[in-house]
Amino acid sequence: MRAWGWILYGVLAAIGLAGFILRFATGHQLAGYGSYVPWGLWVAAYIYFIGLSAGAFLLSALVYVFGVRKLEPIAPLALVVALASLLMALITIWFDLGHLERFYYVYLRPNFRSMMAWMVWLYTAYGLLLLSELYFALRRHLPRYADRRGVTGFLARLLTRGRKTPFTEEEIHRDEGILRVLGTIGVPLAIAFHGGVGALFGTVVAQDLWHSPIYPILFLTGALLSGGALMTAVYVFFWPRKDERWREISLLLGRVVLGLILFDLLLEWAEYSIPMWYGVGPEFKALWNTLFGPFWYVYWVFHILLGVVVPVLLLLALGLRGRIGAIGLASFLVAVTFLAIRLNLVIPSLVHPKLEGLVHAYHDHRLTFVYFPTWFEWSVVVFSVVLGFTLTYVLVRILPVIEGRLLKEVA
Amino acid sequence: MSELESRRAFLEKVASTVFAGMVLGGQPVKAGAEPLKVELPPRPPDGPILPELEYEDVLVRMQRDLERALNKGTIPKWVMVIDTRKCVGCHACTVSCAVENKLPPGVVYRPVIEEQIGKYPEVSWRFLPRPCMQCDNPPCVPVCPVGATWKRADGIVEIDYDACIGCRYCLVSCPYQARTFDFGENWTQDTPGQGHMPYEELPTFEWGEVHVRKEAVIPHSPVGNARKCSFCLHRIEHGLLPQCVTTCIGRATFFGDASDPESLVFQLIHQPNAMRLKEELGTEPRVYYLV
Ligand code: SF4
Ligand code: SF4
């Protein structure tokens, strides 16, 4: 099993590396999007990853801010996953830029009327906040590792300035206080930046499907659901000690995931039924095309079947009756197929022509309203995933993320 | 059709009756009487039937308008007018624009939208050239995260190719899809010849700047940028009309200063048949269509 995991990792890493190199060698030439469908898989993947990050972070906030003690063991891990997903998101959207080398212009010459500028600034704040939260959550364990050699020892000495005496109750208490403050800043920040991503789309007048007040809300629930599901899957499958506490927490998380699936479905009903009900209007055709057009399976198979029906059945029939593995599987399905929802948020509006007949005006493969992600685009997304996984893995190996200890020690 | 004809016939009858009544004063008129023959005024023995018509090419007129606008000392208000009735769908403007700005494949500033009306054999075509509308309330401007695109005082929406990071947010925000992204492709790409053709290496002078495009790990702008029609700002600044205006074989495209009541475009945009695309969005386009 373990060996297979590493083989899979190796294959994905090779694919990702190929995408990475191609991106630099050939720019955007191998990508499938064009000028009439200017955003594609990378933008969808980016909002997917950033949603995972916001969701995982808000889960940690349950512990640090709202004092849900029961979930305490997974809070530092949630921070690590949030950090890794943030990195995945930023890398993906960085690759999407036409001029990678100019990304820092957003800091040098921001235009704060632009939702995109807001987003970048809020991410930066959020990234810094994540790092400091992680620091205050973990530093109490570090003196124990100060004598070690290698990265762990080096980090332990660096971060605690060579301290060897363990942290006192009082100091730990103070750190908890700091964490509460940081988390309290973080919750509105996470809501702002992820709602902001929704607003980035929702504020665009030219795109009939995006231009809807429900978008920021949809993005937020999506974040909670996908991030929560990812954390649940990671916890169920990879938590080193599968004891009674693990069962309890898994059951709780499973119930949360189920509730969020249903709530998300309700919002989606609003998103689709309101513009479609009477069968007229610009959105009708575009949504109809999403449901029954050439890419119907993205909605029906990947989203509804694998992302809703199967997980809900798994949870109800097995998971919540004590088969913890089913909870993990259901959550894994939800987390992975959420990309389908993200794709269906970004692409359908774009493939809907804004001026009838424009496509016949000038023939070029970049000037069409058909879009399908190319292998190259997928490989770049794989690169981001591999990177995120690697970061998570390295962090749990070198830092006492799990129950205050390194992965090796608990396993 | 027949209903329409009979109605027209009826109206003609009534009208001729009324008209005859007016001309003939109190004399009774019988309905259905022969139409009156109008006597032509006596013509001078050798003179022309009509007074001599003066014809001047609109390009000459617009050139004069342009000079006046550039020399008047205040900021002009550039607008474009496109007479859809005169457009024959030859795409000469699209091509001349591509030549003027050395556009690579996939980048187009002024496509001519073609729409078929009806089905063969009862069919006709409608043409609609679509430059950038240089909106007065441009949705593409506030979205730019780095402020690389802005509205100039003369109305043109400018892009700074050296500041644009290529995020394409402006592309998705333009309701007219007037912006295209430079993917760094070339006309000779994947053709058996060797290397680029000379025309692919010429600089472009858009926005009054010199840019030589090149694909590389760090691409040379405008590769990797959002690009769009500039109303040929670089030509206007030198007293030349936009390239699409001068090439239009149907004389269907007009350009000039809408703040000058003497200008041709001023007179055209104040006609009742002047319309703009997607007015309901409130983008206030600077391109008018005569329909
Ligand atoms: S037509 Fe499009 S690109 Fe041109 S100014 Fe208006 S919104 Fe911007
Ligand atoms: S593509 Fe360039 S001009 Fe357009 S919004 Fe992005 S940075 Fe601004």
Side-chain angles (χ1 to χ4, degrees):
Chain A
M1 195 62 195
R2 224 184 154 72
W4 282 113
W6 285 114
I7 290 173
L8 181 68
Y9 177 81
V11 171
L12 288 180
I15 295 174
L17 217 57
F20 177 81
I21 292 167
L22 280 176
R23 170 63 186 85
F24 281 100
T26 63
H28 290 255
Q29 296 206 6
L30 300 176
Y33 45 79
S35 285
Y36 294 161
V37 185
W39 288 348
L41 177 68
W42 292 346
V43 173
Y46 148 74
I47 59 173
Y48 169 59
F49 294 145
I50 204 72
L52 293 178
S53 179
F57 174 79
L58 290 173
L59 198 70
S60 80
L62 282 182
V63 176
Y64 295 133
V65 184
F66 301 106
V68 181
R69 289 280 150 213
K70 196 167 179 189
L71 292 176
E72 202 160 13
I74 58 167
L77 184 62
L79 286 178
V80 167
V81 169
L83 194 67
S85 327
L86 178 68
L87 181 76
M88 281 151 76
L90 293 182
I91 281 280
T92 314
I93 204 62
W94 182 59
F95 282 140
D96 193 66
L97 292 184
H99 279 268
L100 304 171
E101 81 287 3
R102 294 185 188 161
F103 78 93
Y104 65 91
Y105 285 11
V106 189
Y107 299 108
L108 285 193
R109 38 177 302 168
N111 161 28
F112 281 117
R113 270 193 81 194
S114 165
M115 276 317 299
M116 196 180 275
W118 270 108
M119 242 180 35
V120 175
W121 279 64
L122 289 173
Y123 283 157
T124 312
Y126 169 69
L128 295 176
L129 185 110
L130 273 179
L131 284 176
S132 41
E133 268 205 47
L134 209 54
Y135 170 68
F136 284 108
L138 298 186
R139 79 166 175 179
R140 67 192 72 160
H141 310 298
L142 289 179
R144 232 183 306 141
Y145 301 95
D147 290 334
R148 291 222 180 180
R149 275 188 281 161
V151 200
T152 309
F154 173 72
L155 281 177
R157 285 189 297 275
L158 183 78
L159 293 176
T160 56
R161 278 185 249 111
R163 169 172 180 156
K164 284 188 185 146
T165 46
F167 277 73
T168 59
E169 276 297 315
E170 212 172 295
E171 280 171 314
I172 292 179
H173 193 71
R174 207 187 49 216
D175 278 4
E176 296 274 316
I178 297 176
L179 276 175
R180 195 164 325 115
V181 173
L182 288 176
T184 313
I185 302 172
V187 171
L189 193 60
I191 293 178
F193 85 68
H194 203 62
V197 182
L200 186 150
F201 292 86
T203 47
V204 175
V205 177
Q207 304 288 343
D208 291 328
L209 287 189
W210 297 352
H211 193 50
S212 139
I214 205 175
Y215 252 55
I217 312 293
L218 218 50
F219 273 62
L220 278 175
T221 354
L224 287 175
L225 173 55
S226 58
L230 177 70
M231 277 312 299
T232 309
V234 168
Y235 182 69
V236 168
F237 290 131
F238 296 112
W239 196 254
R241 224 197 329 269
K242 308 223 173 352
D243 50 11
E244 198 41 46
R245 196 154 176 222
W246 167 79
R247 277 181 71 83
E248 265 178 44
I249 293 184
S250 300
L251 277 171
L252 174 66
L253 289 173
R255 276 197 291 274
V256 172
V257 169
L258 179 65
L260 284 170
I261 295 179
L262 298 178
F263 184 61
D264 203 51
L265 209 58
L266 178 72
L267 289 187
E268 204 181 298
W269 170 249
E271 185 205 355
Y272 279 81
S273 69
I274 302 267
M276 285 189 83
W277 194 260
Y278 287 115
V280 291
E283 298 102 335
F284 173 75
K285 238 167 94 182
L287 286 175
W288 183 269
N289 206 39
T290 314
L291 299 183
F292 307 109
F295 301 116
W296 59 273
Y297 53 86
V298 178
Y299 185 86
W300 294 108
V301 178
F302 287 105
H303 168 38
I304 293 296
L305 184 68
L306 297 176
V308 177
V309 177
V310 175
V312 167
L313 289 180
L314 273 175
L315 284 170
L316 286 180
L318 301 169
L320 299 183
R321 297 190 179 173
R323 300 280 293 273
I324 303 300
I327 296 182
L329 184 60
S331 305
F332 175 75
L333 278 177
V334 171
V336 170
T337 58
F338 214 81
L339 181 60
I341 300 193
R342 298 307 196 192
L343 273 167
N344 269 345
L345 284 176
V346 178
I347 312 298
S349 184
L350 295 175
V351 295
H352 188 60
K354 308 292 169 292
L355 285 175
E356 239 16 274
L358 186 58
V359 69
H360 304 301
Y362 196 83
H363 291 268
D364 191 278
H365 71 125
R366 301 286 180 200
L367 302 176
T368 65
F369 289 91
V370 215
Y371 169 71
F372 194 78
T374 58
W375 283 110
F376 162 64
E377 289 174 74
W378 282 110
S379 65
V380 169
V381 172
V382 167
F383 176 82
S384 306
V385 174
V386 169
L387 196 71
F389 175 80
T390 312
L391 180 72
T392 313
Y393 186 73
V394 168
L395 282 183
V396 294
R397 295 248 355 194
I398 63 166
L399 287 175
V401 173
I402 296 164
E403 295 178 335
R405 278 178 294 170
L406 306 184
L407 183 62
K408 244 193 301 186
E409 297 168 319
V410 250
Chain B
M1 203 59 175
S2 62
E3 196 199 329
L4 193 71
E5 263 165 22
S6 64
R7 203 155 65 150
R8 182 181 294 154
F10 171 75
L11 283 174
E12 266 168 14
K13 254 186 231 161
V14 173
S16 58
T17 315
V18 173
F19 185 65
M22 283 183 341
V23 173
L24 301 175
Q27 286 179 34
V29 186
K30 265 192 280 166
E34 286 284 299
L36 292 175
K37 289 249 155 54
V38 178
E39 276 285 314
L40 285 173
R43 266 210 218 166
D46 308 311
I49 302 176
L50 292 166
E52 197 76 62
L53 270 184
E54 286 224 353
Y55 177 74
E56 183 189 44
D57 192 321
V58 284
L59 285 176
V60 180
R61 162 97 189 261
M62 287 191 288
Q63 191 64 49
R64 228 181 315 119
D65 288 352
L66 182 64
E67 258 169 51
R68 208 168 47 247
L70 290 172
N71 293 326
K72 71 176 180 176
T74 53
I75 297 169
K77 181 181 178 204
W78 300 126
V79 300
M80 188 173 278
V81 184
I82 298 170
D83 193 335
T84 55
R85 300 162 303 182
K86 288 184 174 172
C87 175
V88 295
C90 69
H91 300 266
C93 55
T94 314
V95 174
S96 72
C97 167
V99 172
E100 172 71 30
N101 297 305
K102 328 295 187 310
L103 300 185
V107 177
V108 63
Y109 294 168
R110 192 186 153 100
V112 178
I113 296 176
E114 297 181 358
E115 237 183 313
Q116 184 181 328
I117 307 164
K119 276 211 175 79
Y120 180 83
E122 285 90 24
V123 70
S124 66
W125 283 90
R126 183 157 58 194
F127 306 107
L128 190 93
R130 202 260 19 237
C132 166
M133 306 283 142
Q134 319 290 355
C135 307
D136 274 348
N137 190 8
C140 59
V141 165
V143 299
C144 179
V146 294
T149 182
W150 62 89
K151 178 92 182 155
R152 292 160 50 101
D154 59 10
I156 294 173
V157 173
E158 187 167 349
I159 306 176
D160 180 353
Y161 289 155
D162 297 319
C164 165
I165 60 174
C167 68
R168 314 192 293 291
Y169 197 12
C170 55
L171 269 76
V172 301
S173 300
C174 169
Y176 307 96
Q177 305 205 289
R179 291 181 172 229
T180 45
F181 183 69
D182 192 330
F183 280 84
E185 288 163 335
N186 285 298
W187 293 106
T188 46
Q189 202 162 313
D190 303 325
T191 56
Q194 273 148 31
H196 294 163
M197 293 296 280
Y199 62 79
E200 289 174 307
E201 288 172 346
L202 291 174
T204 134
F205 302 110
E206 290 164 71
W207 318 110
E209 284 169 4
V210 183
H211 279 105
V212 183
R213 61 189 291 285
K214 200 167 149 229
E215 175 57 66
V217 174
I218 292 176
H220 295 202
S221 286
V223 173
N225 290 133
R227 302 182 66 176
K228 74 171 190 71
C229 157
S230 61
F231 268 1
C232 279
L233 184 63
H234 57 287
R235 289 173 59 94
I236 303 172
E237 280 172 346
H238 287 84
L240 297 168
L241 289 166
Q243 186 64 280
C244 55
V245 176
T246 56
T247 1
C248 178
I249 63 158
R251 296 290 189 267
T253 299
F254 310 91
F255 176 84
D257 174 14
S259 65
D260 171 9
E262 299 299 310
S263 70
L264 177 60
V265 286
F266 180 94
Q267 289 160 9
L268 291 175
I269 65 175
H270 285 83
Q271 289 183 14
N273 62 338
M275 287 183 45
R276 295 181 294 179
L277 290 183
K278 301 199 182 190
E279 293 243 32
E280 72 279 8
L281 294 179
T283 49
E284 305 291 340
R286 285 254 181 134
V287 174
Y288 294 78
Y289 291 90
L290 301 179
V291 293

